[in-house]
Amino acid sequence: MSQESEHGKWTVSSSDESEGEQEDCKKPSTSSLQRDKSSEPRYPCSEARKAAHKRKSSPLEFPDGNSLSVVPPAPKRPSQEGLGWCLSSSDEDEDCKREVKKGDVAAPRVRQEEECAPKEIANDDRLSKNHNSVGASSKVQDTWDLLDGGNPFRFFLTKVKGIKSEYNFGALHIKDILSPLFGTLVSSAQFNYCIDVEWLINQYPKEFRDKPLLIVHGEKRESKADLLDQAKPYKNVCLCQAKLDIAFGTHHTKMMLLCYEEGLRVVIHTSNLIKEDWYQKTQGIWLSPLYPKLPPGTLGSAGESRTNFKSDLITYLMSYKSPTLNEWADVIKQHDLSETRVYLVGSTPGRYQNNEKEKWGHLRLRKLLKDHAMQVPDEDSWPVVGQFSSIGSMGADQSKWLCSEFRQSLVTLGNSVKSLTNQEVPINLIYPTVDNVRQSLEGYPAGGSLPYSIQTAQKQLWLHSYFHKWSAETSGRSHAMPHIKTYMRVAPDFQKIAWFLVTSANLSKAAWGAFEKNGTQLMIRSYELGVLFLPSEFGLDTDYFQVKESLLSDEPALAFPVPYDLPPEKYESKDRPWIWNIPYTRAPDTHGNMWVPK
Ligand code: JTA
């Protein structure tokens, strides 16, 4: 049946609601390349995101003119700035409002090579006094309570515009993270995939906008030139290109290193440094404690945590083999990271053998689960849950990777002798359906960040039988599409978890690694980073976390806030996984539009 006979005639509508280019942020272009495609974002990005951008600037209206009214339509011109940067429970809080004016960047300073390097801080009395005096104001007390009292896991979601304010309780916008309440910034490093430099600079408080900022990225060739052009107006910004020597590798790692007068903070998260990733998506954030500076002359090996986080983070940074990141590794060495309760799980491109095999990817997770997770009774009936926003090519059937090396890693719990007979362990994979995306706050353009392609999907129809819908009534985020990636081991009653990982790593061999040479070598294409939560590090006398059932309940303080509903709900027969590069014209999204990529 043609679209015309089914739905009447529709046309391509023009719209001035284009979101990407904020007029008030425009800078004189220094680009030698033509940036005349007004429907394309100013930052380098994928075809999928370009499609979303294009469909937002020239929507294809669904013919009957009615939007799907599952959720209230989002405001037409959302003001991200209005989210403010204080830790408010309400996104309407006017007191928190922070004006960001155009060209609001402090006077550029003379560019010096040293500005690429992390700035050193005097370790004097004044600083510790400053730090102590921070506790005085009640606003900061709230910050303290939220960061340390109320949230022992230090695991947060991003604020979502357009949901009830109670669901944003304890959620963070990027401006919250960069706020002076978290520390007096001296210099910072931002590791990420997709970066809008101008937007990023404007997320920093005015007084920090001219502090040295290092951007670690993986762009090459034209998109690298575009990023350099973007950064050119900001004399304090330096770029570091991560080497990507293996084909199809990507720099997915999302991390902030925030060097303060008062110490250092590490933030490991899942959001790109673009407006849309901090607007109406479900994203995860782990905030480190404020790490105090060690006394001068202390060995770099001091200030280690039970989880070996300090050494592992330094090893991760050194894997880039970049002089600038080696200097950041030295800054880490000078701080006390002993309060860290999470384990670092990273991937870095390479082919690893022998004593290097367990350093990265799924074998790193396997090793941590072997050494630090506890066996549970009847463990074969504890499912593995994987939740992600993109999917790589996994071969002709489940035996090629998913249910062999990958599952073998995720089912490991202690030195279990049963771990080689774990073929019964169920795998629940959570990935949005077409209807999830259609009914989301963003509508179909949310699918621009769910880049599962038809070319990949049609080669692995077997995979879709593992799929479960995105549902997050508990966290109020059913309509905020996931860009978070999580993996966990959950009890048969779905009320306990043995461990929880939040990471940049999607379900792909490029991210997690795949065996080569008969399993003697693990080959990893991409940079990824995440943190693993294990009950043993949180002073629990159980071998599992209780799953937190609701946001505002007085459950055990150490119940874990899993950010989606359990048990996961299987795809029904009508459900299809979201695939970005095919059209959806049979039903309108929440903005009354259809999806016709290209
Ligand atoms: C759309 C993407 C990331 C990441 C990486 C993406 C692609 C399309 C969104 C994204 N890649 N892609 O690291 O967060 O096709 O590569 O959000």
Side-chain angles (χ1 to χ4, degrees):
M1 197 189 284
S2 80
Q3 283 155 348
E4 215 168 294
S5 59
E6 200 180 344
H7 300 299
K9 208 173 174 191
W10 53 266
T11 52
V12 180
S13 69
S14 71
S15 164
D16 55 7
E17 304 293 349
S18 172
E19 289 215 294
E21 302 287 346
Q22 276 187 317
E23 286 305 315
D24 62 347
C25 288
K26 276 243 166 71
K27 285 287 181 310
S29 172
T30 54
S31 177
S32 54
L33 299 159
Q34 272 303 96
R35 227 182 281 280
D36 54 11
K37 298 168 198 162
S38 56
S39 72
E40 281 191 17
R42 63 187 165 211
Y43 46 85
C45 69
S46 66
E47 290 305 312
R49 231 192 308 264
K50 278 181 197 158
H53 220 269
K54 181 179 172 191
R55 277 286 78 87
K56 279 201 273 185
S57 54
S58 51
L60 286 174
E61 283 175 19
F62 191 73
D64 72 3
N66 291 324
S67 345
L68 178 66
S69 55
V70 173
V71 290
K76 287 278 181 184
R77 259 203 191 279
S79 163
Q80 187 84 47
E81 325 306 351
L83 284 169
W85 47 261
C86 57
L87 290 165
S88 90
S89 57
S90 158
D91 53 15
E92 308 302 336
D93 191 341
E94 288 298 307
D95 292 341
C96 291
K97 203 157 191 169
R98 188 165 197 289
E99 288 274 321
V100 176
K101 296 197 197 92
K102 50 186 140 184
D104 206 6
V105 176
R109 306 184 308 176
V110 181
R111 195 186 194 101
Q112 292 178 321
E113 214 49 51
E114 298 89 290
E115 288 188 328
C116 293
K119 243 189 176 176
E120 295 301 324
I121 299 305
N123 191 25
D124 64 5
D125 268 352
R126 189 182 56 84
L127 297 180
S128 36
K129 257 185 252 151
N130 266 358
H131 185 201
N132 292 338
S133 70
V134 162
S137 103
S138 69
K139 212 174 189 181
V140 174
Q141 190 59 55
D142 292 345
T143 312
W144 183 258
D145 289 347
L146 179 58
L147 295 187
D148 296 84
N151 194 339
F153 301 108
R154 317 187 68 92
F155 172 64
F156 301 86
L157 300 177
T158 48
K159 279 183 185 165
V160 172
K161 260 290 199 216
I163 60 172
K164 283 199 201 142
S165 63
E166 51 260 45
Y167 289 126
N168 280 320
F169 181 79
L172 297 172
H173 187 59
I174 186 170
K175 286 186 175 177
D176 298 320
I177 298 168
L178 299 175
S179 128
L181 297 174
F182 281 56
T184 312
L185 196 74
V186 175
S187 69
S188 62
Q190 294 282 352
F191 295 64
N192 220 299
Y193 171 71
C194 186
I195 301 141
D196 180 337
V197 177
E198 186 174 294
W199 177 86
L200 173 61
I201 295 286
N202 283 308
Q203 306 315 300
Y204 284 82
K206 271 200 193 77
E207 60 271 33
F208 299 158
R209 283 182 197 165
D210 63 345
K211 304 293 180 188
L213 165 60
L214 176 71
I215 293 177
V216 183
H217 67 94
E219 300 294 350
K220 294 174 174 171
R221 301 179 280 273
E222 300 92 326
S223 47
K224 181 188 176 185
D226 286 353
L227 189 58
L228 280 162
D229 282 337
Q230 270 200 78
K232 213 169 240 165
Y234 309 100
K235 299 303 170 211
N236 56 318
V237 174
C238 281
L239 299 186
C240 170
Q241 179 188 6
K243 63 183 170 60
L244 283 163
D245 297 335
I246 301 181
F248 310 112
T250 319
H251 187 263
H252 282 149
T253 292
K254 292 164 176 63
M255 171 165 65
M256 307 184 192
L257 302 177
L258 304 172
C259 187
Y260 303 129
E261 290 183 9
E262 300 88 351
L264 174 78
R265 196 185 303 276
V266 178
V267 182
I268 294 173
H269 64 105
T270 66
S271 302
N272 287 286
L273 297 172
I274 59 176
K275 185 166 75 169
E276 68 207 50
D277 267 39
W278 297 82
Y279 179 45
Q280 290 181 321
K281 297 185 191 296
T282 300
Q283 304 267 20
I285 302 164
W286 172 78
L287 286 186
S288 80
L290 177 66
Y291 296 132
K293 196 158 189 207
L294 287 166
T298 313
L299 283 176
S301 55
E304 186 54 278
S305 69
R306 284 168 44 117
T307 59
N308 208 48
F309 185 87
K310 180 173 179 173
S311 163
D312 290 335
L313 181 58
I314 290 167
T315 303
Y316 176 78
L317 292 177
M318 305 282 274
S319 79
Y320 287 77
K321 301 194 192 311
S322 143
T324 313
L325 290 180
N326 289 348
E327 290 184 48
W328 271 100
D330 290 337
V331 170
I332 310 267
K333 283 183 193 155
Q334 293 160 16
H335 288 83
D336 176 0
L337 280 67
S338 60
E339 295 294 301
T340 314
R341 292 172 179 257
V342 294
Y343 290 88
L344 193 70
V345 178
S347 291
T348 191
R351 296 183 173 86
Y352 303 100
Q353 299 184 332
N354 304 315
N355 60 338
E356 293 215 298
K357 243 176 103 182
E358 295 176 322
K359 279 176 80 174
W360 315 109
H362 72 75
L363 290 186
R364 162 71 176 168
L365 179 59
R366 186 184 297 193
K367 170 88 171 128
L368 290 173
L369 295 176
K370 180 168 169 279
D371 291 349
H372 306 290
M374 303 290 188
Q375 285 171 246
V376 290
D378 194 20
E379 62 181 58
D380 284 0
S381 62
W382 285 53
V384 162
V385 175
Q387 174 275 311
F388 39 81
S389 61
S390 189
I391 305 158
S393 197
M394 332 246 303
D397 62 72
Q398 58 178 60
S399 73
K400 298 294 184 295
W401 183 79
L402 181 74
C403 294
S404 49
E405 58 184 282
F406 186 64
R407 178 163 67 180
Q408 195 54 46
S409 289
L410 272 70
V411 301
T412 299
L413 283 178
N415 279 301
S416 169
V417 281
K418 290 166 69 190
S419 65
L420 288 169
T421 63
N422 266 323
Q423 288 307 309
E424 309 105 278
V425 177
I427 303 186
N428 288 193
L429 301 179
I430 300 176
Y431 178 77
T433 65
V434 174
D435 273 342
N436 279 156
V437 174
R438 187 175 68 83
Q439 296 169 343
S440 72
L441 288 160
E442 295 174 90
Y444 289 128
S449 300
L450 299 162
Y452 191 28
S453 73
I454 184 64
Q455 292 79 11
T456 305
Q458 66 191 4
K459 288 189 290 184
Q460 51 193 26
L461 299 177
W462 60 267
L463 177 66
H464 305 164
S465 66
Y466 293 91
F467 280 6
H468 295 70
K469 304 178 202 190
W470 174 254
S471 172
E473 299 303 325
T474 313
S475 66
R477 281 163 174 74
S478 278
H479 303 287
M481 288 301 95
H483 190 262
I484 189 175
K485 295 87 174 148
T486 63
Y487 301 82
M488 65 183 172
R489 188 78 186 275
V490 60
D493 65 1
F494 291 93
Q495 291 177 12
K496 311 177 198 61
I497 55 176
W499 53 267
F500 185 91
L501 173 70
V502 59
T503 173
S504 60
N506 272 306
L507 188 69
S508 79
K509 295 198 278 184
W512 285 102
F515 284 147
E516 290 180 341
K517 301 195 174 186
N518 200 26
T520 61
Q521 177 168 294
L522 186 71
M523 189 273 282
I524 295 176
R525 298 182 190 275
S526 296
Y527 294 88
E528 309 284 353
L529 205 58
V531 295
L532 174 67
F533 299 84
L534 284 171
S536 54
E537 298 309 314
F538 289 85
L540 286 165
D541 50 11
T542 55
D543 300 338
Y544 52 82
F545 297 114
Q546 206 71 44
V547 173
K548 206 170 172 69
E549 279 176 26
S550 80
L551 283 172
L552 300 164
S553 67
D554 49 349
E555 291 166 80
L558 286 161
F560 197 90
V562 174
Y564 40 84
D565 297 333
L566 296 176
E569 190 184 345
K570 278 184 87 74
Y571 278 21
E572 293 165 70
S573 58
K574 65 160 180 31
D575 286 316
R576 297 287 176 271
W578 171 262
I579 290 168
W580 82 269
N581 57 346
I582 57 175
Y584 300 103
T585 59
R586 300 176 71 84
D589 71 6
T590 48
H591 299 255
N593 296 323
M594 306 188 294
W595 180 256
V596 184
K598 282 278 171 190

